[in-house]
Amino acid sequence: MGIIKLKNIRTFSYHGCLVEESKIGSDYIVNLEIKTDLRKSSETDDLKDTVDYVLLNKIVVEEMAIRSQLLEHVAHRIITKIFKEIASVSRIIVAVSKVNPPIGGDVEAVTIEMEEYRN
């Protein structure tokens, strides 16, 4: 088995419960970790034998572009789509951070993290 990580995927998205957030948007950072079997690809050196991190990034960017009120909802969609599209993934950890959130304080980011295993 092995782990593939995509660190600090940056997007500009429109998530949040406030009406203003749906209009002005905000910066987000997503960190993704997937568990898969890397033994075959480590021997064959062939992209078809591994999980393509270009596809992982594409899924994250597409799901971040769909407005949601809650970061948990966005993370759940990312997890669901990865499991649906990539059969070899057995576990996913995704963290979605809203940078400089409008919460009335000096807070660098708010982050939710979810971990799911394939059934």
Side-chain angles (χ1 to χ4, degrees), residues 59-70:
I59 290 169
V60 168
V61 170
E62 286 174 355
E63 294 304 319
M64 288 298 292
I66 302 168
R67 177 166 158 61
S68 294
Q69 292 188 58
L70 302 178

Side-chain angles (χ1 to χ4, degrees), residues 57-99:
N57 184 69
K58 179 178 178 272
I59 290 169
V60 168
V61 170
E62 286 174 355
E63 294 304 319
M64 288 298 292
I66 302 168
R67 177 166 158 61
S68 294
Q69 292 188 58
L70 302 178
L71 299 180
E72 299 92 302
H73 187 70
V74 180
H76 176 72
R77 285 199 323 266
I78 291 168
I79 290 168
T80 300
K81 191 163 186 181
I82 291 170
F83 278 145
K84 180 180 176 188
E85 293 195 16
I86 308 170
S88 64
V89 173
S90 61
R91 182 196 62 159
I92 301 169
I93 299 173
V94 63
V96 180
S97 301
K98 180 182 285 194
V99 179

Side-chain angles (χ1 to χ4, degrees), residues 2-119:
I3 293 173
I4 296 174
K5 296 180 183 182
L6 277 70
K7 296 183 179 183
N8 298 326
I9 302 167
R10 292 172 185 81
T11 70
F12 190 84
S13 303
Y14 296 87
H15 308 301
C17 296
L18 302 176
V19 174
E20 294 83 10
E21 292 174 298
S22 70
K23 295 178 181 176
I24 62 172
S26 185
D27 291 312
Y28 291 81
I29 296 174
V30 178
N31 286 287
L32 179 67
E33 178 178 306
I34 62 109
K35 187 172 185 178
T36 190
D37 191 342
L38 297 176
R39 290 174 290 192
K40 184 173 182 182
S41 62
S42 70
E43 293 177 8
T44 66
D45 194 29
D46 195 329
L47 181 60
K48 71 175 176 48
D49 295 327
T50 192
V51 175
D52 186 351
Y53 49 79
V54 172
L55 175 58
L56 292 172
N57 184 69
K58 179 178 178 272
I59 290 169
V60 168
V61 170
E62 286 174 355
E63 294 304 319
M64 288 298 292
I66 302 168
R67 177 166 158 61
S68 294
Q69 292 188 58
L70 302 178
L71 299 180
E72 299 92 302
H73 187 70
V74 180
H76 176 72
R77 285 199 323 266
I78 291 168
I79 290 168
T80 300
K81 191 163 186 181
I82 291 170
F83 278 145
K84 180 180 176 188
E85 293 195 16
I86 308 170
S88 64
V89 173
S90 61
R91 182 196 62 159
I92 301 169
I93 299 173
V94 63
V96 180
S97 301
K98 180 182 285 194
V99 179
N100 209 10
I103 60 174
D106 186 11
V107 177
E108 181 179 335
V110 172
T111 303
I112 65 94
E113 183 173 291
M114 294 176 71
E115 179 176 4
E116 295 289 337
Y117 293 83
R118 184 178 295 280
N119 293 333

